[in-house]
């Protein structure tokens, strides 16, 4: 391929990225941000163009960088990286360009460094991603040659199929994945005369086995174009999957919640008057998934839509669904440190669940309340509530809830200086992580153990545990947690008077924090931290202040997150 051909292929793959840049430029209110986006549009395809070049060539001040983050939703470095990853994905989807050449076209030193970056972005290495995209339709019956071609797949993913092609494809998918599966399931299980929901529960499980490893765009096509379900079996299944898979991959949790919402179209007529309650459940699920992914504005929108659906339900409003909404909103207010509002919401939910004998939901609400009490400065009051929650659940039936309660209990005891009790709770939590093979949870437990050892004055063991947690969480792709552990390491060094050594983990944490979608207060705290490092004035007080403001990133560590939702 000649240089001219390479540039033509690259420009074609970058079309959507350029469109996004132009749209963001059109909506930006700051002249400085508009100038930055205009410059990026000119230099995006230059492989040697870096974030540093971008900021320097635009004369960008730190204030403009903060405004850029606020208006566009990402800091400049992450925005450039994300744009290039989108181009890479389109090159892998729609061309036969080698991975090595893709890497060079986008400014990476080689396939290895590009592969690591692309996996952090998509969850798959480039070769795996390309193979998965091109295998999309190979298992859905005997496809025609057109269905397997790269051009067809690209047009399908980009939404550019001709109407006749799209209709033919959807008819075929509906037949293969819904009608055939329902008939086969009913026949093989002797359920031809059984309740429709029982048939569809079996159909849903078999359907998911066939599509669970497909690209999300294909899954969305299937669910969004009416797979002829007559009950909410598919919705209930996907909602549970959102909670289950969201523990290890928050963005996957969001995707599955989106699928659950779309699946209600398949049975809207059958649900009739109960549809508003079901839609409320769907928006609660999606809002909670966004909340766990630290996308709080989207979470607010989801919860607001859930409230609208409950109002639409009128006298048929389900009080248990409304109570669940109160719990999820209480979690978010807790994340935002609006503790008074959070307590009011969770207390309303507790009274409903207690009166309805919903023991598991009641325990979940108690855990949320305990976390709010602890983080609002009352860890002593949180401990009895944590212990009460454990009396309503068992390790066998609700292991994730038990894990959440034990880690929360350990953190409360640590704050009170009750290190022996904290270590007892951590031992229980560690055992649950091993049984569940919950690696992220195991590293989080090790993290808390390091903080407990730090409180005891055992700095050597504290450093060992924090280093172990840092490397493990980084390997698992938990960049937010990794950044906070790095700050805890910096604080540990600073407390021992190792000021020069404290700067290293703090510097390492900065790009990880820049890549997160944080609120304005957190962005400002990161700016203060960066200024202190650059000026050589990093102190223990600066580190602790930054750590306190960024505490919302590790709320899940302190006894909630996806684990609390395991009651489903």
């Amino acid at each position: 391929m000649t240089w001219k051909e390479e540039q033509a292929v690259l420009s074609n793959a970058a079309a959507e990225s350029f469109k996004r840049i132009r749209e963001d430029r059109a909506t930006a209110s700051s002249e400085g941000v508009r100038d930055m986006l205009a410059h990026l549009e000119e230099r995006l395809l230059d492989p040697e163009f870096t974030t540093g070049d971008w900021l320097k060539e635009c004369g960008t001040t730190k204030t403009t960088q903060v405004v850029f983050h606020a208006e566009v939703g990402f800091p400049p470095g992450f925005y450039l990286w994300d744009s290039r990853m989108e181009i890479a994905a389109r090159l892998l989807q729609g061309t036969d360009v080698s991975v090595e050449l893709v890497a060079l076209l986008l400014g990476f030193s080689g396939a290895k460094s590009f592969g690591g970056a692309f996996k952090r972005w998509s969850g798959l290495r480039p070769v795996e991603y390309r193979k998965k995209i091109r295998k999309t339709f190979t298992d859905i019956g005997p496809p025609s040659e057109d269905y397997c071609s790269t051009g067809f797949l690209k047009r399908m993913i980009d939404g550019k199929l001709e109407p006749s092609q799209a209709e033919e494809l959807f008819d075929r998918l509906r037949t293969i994945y819904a009608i055939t599966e329902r008939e086969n399931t009913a026949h093989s299980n002797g359920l031809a005369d059984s309740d429709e929901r029982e048939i569809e529960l079996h159909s849903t499980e078999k359907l998911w086995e066939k599509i669970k490893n497909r690209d999300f765009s294909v899954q969305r096509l299937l669910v969004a174009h009416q797979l002829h379900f007559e009950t909410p079996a598919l919705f209930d299944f996907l909602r549970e999957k959102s909670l289950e898979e969201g523990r290890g991959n928050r963005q996957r949790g969001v995707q599955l919640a989106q699928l659950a919402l779309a699946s209600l179209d398949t049975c809207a007529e059958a649900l009739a008057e109960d549809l508003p309650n079901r839609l409320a459940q769907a928006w609660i699920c999606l809002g909670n998934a966004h909340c766990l992914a630290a996308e709080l504005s989207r979470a607010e929108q989801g919860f607001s839509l859930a409230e609208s659906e409950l109002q639409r339900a009128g006298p048929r409003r389900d009080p248990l669904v409304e109570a669940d909404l109160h719990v999820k909103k209480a979690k978010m207010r807790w994340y935002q440190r609006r503790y008074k509002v959070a307590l009011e919401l969770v207390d309303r939910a507790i009274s409903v669940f207690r009166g309805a004998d919903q023991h598991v939901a009641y325990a979940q609400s108690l855990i949320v309340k305990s976390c709010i009490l602890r983080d609002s400065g009352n860890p002593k009051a949180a401990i009895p509530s944590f212990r009460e929650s454990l009396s309503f659940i068992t390790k066998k039936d609700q292991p994730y809830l038990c894990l959440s309660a034990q880690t929360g209990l350990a953190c409360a005891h640590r704050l009170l200086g009750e290190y022996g009790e904290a270590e007892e709770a951590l031992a229980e939590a560690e055992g649950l992580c091993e049984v569940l093979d919950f690696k992220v949870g195991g590293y989080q437990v090790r993290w808390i153990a390091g903080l407990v050892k730090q409180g005891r004055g055992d700095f050597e063991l504290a450093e060992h545990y924090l280093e172990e947690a840092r490397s493990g969480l980084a390997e698992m792709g938990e960049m937010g947690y990794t950044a906070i552990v790095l700050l805890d390491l910096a604080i540990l060094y600073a407390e021992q008077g190792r000021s020069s050594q404290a700067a290293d983990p703090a510097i390492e944490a900065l790009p990880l924090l820049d890549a997160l979608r944080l609120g304005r207060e957190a962005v400002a705290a990161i700016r203060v931290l960066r200024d202190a490092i650059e000026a050589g004035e990093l102190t223990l007080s600066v580190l602790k202040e930054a750590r306190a403001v960024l505490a919302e990133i590790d709320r899940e560590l302190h006894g909630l997150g996806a684990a609390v939702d395991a009651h489903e």
Side-chain angles (χ1 to χ4, degrees):
M1 186 181 292
T2 66
W3 181 85
K4 189 174 181 179
E5 290 171 333
E6 289 176 1
Q7 293 305 302
V9 169
L10 184 60
S11 296
N12 184 57
E16 288 299 317
S17 296
F18 282 128
K19 180 181 178 183
R20 170 193 176 190
I21 292 169
R22 286 192 290 270
E23 289 174 349
D24 287 340
R25 183 184 175 193
T27 58
S29 60
S30 165
E31 183 178 355
V33 172
R34 291 197 297 271
D35 290 343
M36 288 180 68
L37 291 168
H39 191 70
L40 178 61
E41 189 174 353
E42 294 176 1
R43 298 290 307 276
L44 179 61
L45 300 186
D46 181 352
E48 296 182 1
F49 183 61
T50 66
T51 303
D53 294 334
W54 186 16
L55 300 179
K56 183 177 179 180
E57 290 167 12
C58 291
T60 306
T61 64
K62 291 181 179 179
T63 300
T64 304
Q65 293 180 50
V66 173
V67 173
F68 185 100
H69 189 173
E71 292 209 358
V72 177
F74 304 101
F78 185 87
Y79 191 88
L80 174 58
W81 179 75
D82 187 63
S83 298
R84 282 180 166 159
M85 289 300 101
E86 285 185 348
I87 297 171
R90 289 186 172 84
L91 287 170
L92 294 169
Q93 290 171 10
T95 75
D96 294 320
V97 174
S98 68
V99 173
E100 290 76 13
L101 182 54
V102 172
L104 293 176
L105 288 172
L106 296 177
F108 289 86
S109 59
K112 186 175 181 180
S113 61
F114 166 64
F118 191 82
K119 185 175 182 181
R120 287 194 297 275
W121 183 78
S122 70
L124 295 171
R125 291 200 170 273
V127 173
E128 296 169 336
Y129 183 85
R130 172 174 275 168
K131 183 178 179 182
K132 193 170 184 179
I133 289 294
R134 295 190 177 184
K135 191 178 180 292
T136 297
F137 287 107
T138 58
D139 294 338
I140 61 170
S144 69
E145 185 176 347
D146 286 342
Y147 279 19
C148 291
S149 70
T150 300
F152 181 89
L153 290 174
K154 186 177 186 302
R155 291 198 308 278
M156 182 200 72
I157 291 168
D158 292 342
K160 296 180 180 178
L161 292 180
E162 294 295 325
S164 59
Q165 293 177 309
E167 187 59 35
E168 178 187 353
L169 175 61
F170 295 150
D171 284 342
R172 188 162 172 269
L173 292 174
R174 284 195 290 265
T175 300
I176 292 172
Y177 285 117
I179 299 172
T180 303
E181 282 303 315
R182 283 185 11 173
E183 292 174 353
N184 289 345
T185 303
H187 177 74
S188 63
N189 290 283
L191 295 173
D193 298 324
S194 299
D195 183 79
E196 184 74 14
R197 180 172 174 79
E198 289 299 316
I199 296 175
E200 294 196 337
L201 283 172
H202 288 280
S203 298
T204 296
E205 292 170 2
K206 294 189 73 174
L207 167 65
W208 187 249
E209 283 300 313
K210 285 192 176 263
I211 70 171
K212 67 180 182 181
N213 295 321
R214 297 289 171 261
D215 187 79
F216 175 63
S217 60
V218 176
Q219 293 174 346
R220 185 165 50 191
L221 281 173
L222 285 165
V223 172
H225 288 83
Q226 300 190 8
L227 291 174
H228 303 295
F229 278 83
E230 302 297 333
T231 76
L234 180 60
F235 166 70
D236 290 334
F237 182 86
L238 290 170
R239 193 160 59 102
E240 183 176 346
K241 282 292 177 185
S242 173
L243 297 171
E244 178 184 317
E245 297 191 22
R247 295 186 195 110
N249 184 332
R250 289 160 190 76
Q251 287 305 320
R252 181 57 175 161
V254 170
Q255 289 180 345
L256 288 165
Q258 291 171 339
L259 292 179
L261 176 62
S263 74
L264 286 176
D265 285 342
T266 69
C267 58
E269 291 184 9
L271 287 172
E273 294 178 344
D274 194 43
L275 181 60
N277 283 314
R278 286 292 187 166
L279 284 170
Q281 284 183 306
W283 285 115
I284 292 168
C285 179
L286 183 55
N288 188 59
H290 281 306
C291 189
L292 294 177
E295 298 167 346
L296 299 189
S297 61
R298 293 180 180 179
E300 290 277 15
Q301 182 182 21
F303 294 149
S304 176
L305 289 167
E307 286 180 333
S308 298
E309 291 297 337
L310 287 171
Q311 290 175 4
R312 190 161 69 93
R316 294 183 178 273
R317 171 188 313 200
D318 187 334
L320 295 179
V321 175
E322 188 173 29
D324 188 40
L325 176 59
H326 291 329
V327 174
K328 300 302 190 295
K329 288 184 69 176
K331 283 171 48 181
M332 187 163 63
R333 300 296 173 250
W334 167 46
Y335 281 31
Q336 297 167 331
R337 293 185 287 175
R338 295 169 59 184
Y339 300 124
K340 183 178 179 180
V341 177
L343 283 172
E344 290 173 355
L345 286 166
V346 78
D347 280 338
R348 290 165 65 184
I350 286 172
S351 65
V352 172
F353 291 135
R354 185 195 294 120
D357 289 330
Q358 296 287 318
H359 292 165
V360 177
Y362 177 61
Q364 178 203 28
S365 303
L366 283 174
I367 294 172
V368 175
K369 181 174 183 177
S370 303
C371 292
I372 297 166
L373 287 170
R374 181 201 58 215
D375 290 352
S376 62
N378 197 357
K380 190 171 183 179
I383 289 173
S385 291
F386 276 127
R387 295 198 182 280
E388 184 183 357
S389 71
L390 288 167
S391 69
F392 284 93
I393 51 180
T394 66
K395 295 178 185 178
K396 179 180 178 181
D397 295 328
Q398 293 86 26
Y400 284 100
L401 270 182
C402 288
L403 172 60
S404 183
Q406 293 290 1
T407 54
L409 188 59
C411 290
H413 282 302
R414 182 183 73 84
L415 290 172
L416 292 169
E418 298 169 351
Y419 301 120
E421 292 87 344
E423 288 174 337
E424 288 178 10
L426 288 174
E428 291 286 341
E430 188 171 14
L432 284 164
C433 289
E434 290 176 0
V435 170
L436 294 166
D437 193 26
F438 187 24
K439 293 182 180 179
V440 171
Y443 290 126
Q444 291 173 343
V445 169
R446 189 62 73 177
W447 180 5
I448 304 172
L451 298 177
V452 170
K453 293 299 181 186
Q454 181 179 358
R456 282 189 178 279
D458 189 345
F459 297 128
E460 183 176 350
L461 197 52
E463 182 178 350
H464 173 73
Y465 285 163
L466 291 176
E467 284 284 4
E468 186 178 339
R470 185 270 297 267
S471 60
L473 290 168
E475 185 178 345
M476 299 295 293
E478 295 288 346
M479 294 300 104
Y481 287 157
T482 303
I484 299 299
V485 177
L486 285 164
L487 289 183
D488 284 335
L489 270 170
I491 290 171
L492 177 67
Y493 295 146
E495 284 183 342
Q496 299 175 70
R498 298 155 65 181
S499 301
S500 58
Q501 195 172 353
D504 294 335
I507 292 170
E508 188 179 342
L510 286 176
L512 303 180
L513 292 169
D514 284 339
L516 299 174
R517 297 178 182 180
L518 300 175
R520 293 185 179 182
E521 186 180 5
V523 171
I526 295 168
R527 186 176 68 240
V528 170
L529 180 63
R530 178 178 281 108
D531 290 345
I533 292 171
E534 291 176 354
E537 298 174 355
L538 184 64
T539 63
L540 180 59
S541 61
V542 169
L543 286 167
K544 285 187 173 181
E545 183 178 347
R547 178 64 172 83
V549 173
L550 295 168
E552 70 246 30
I553 298 174
D554 72 340
R555 295 298 190 201
E556 188 173 319
L557 162 69
H558 284 164
L560 189 62
V564 175
D565 297 311
H567 72 283
E568 297 290 341

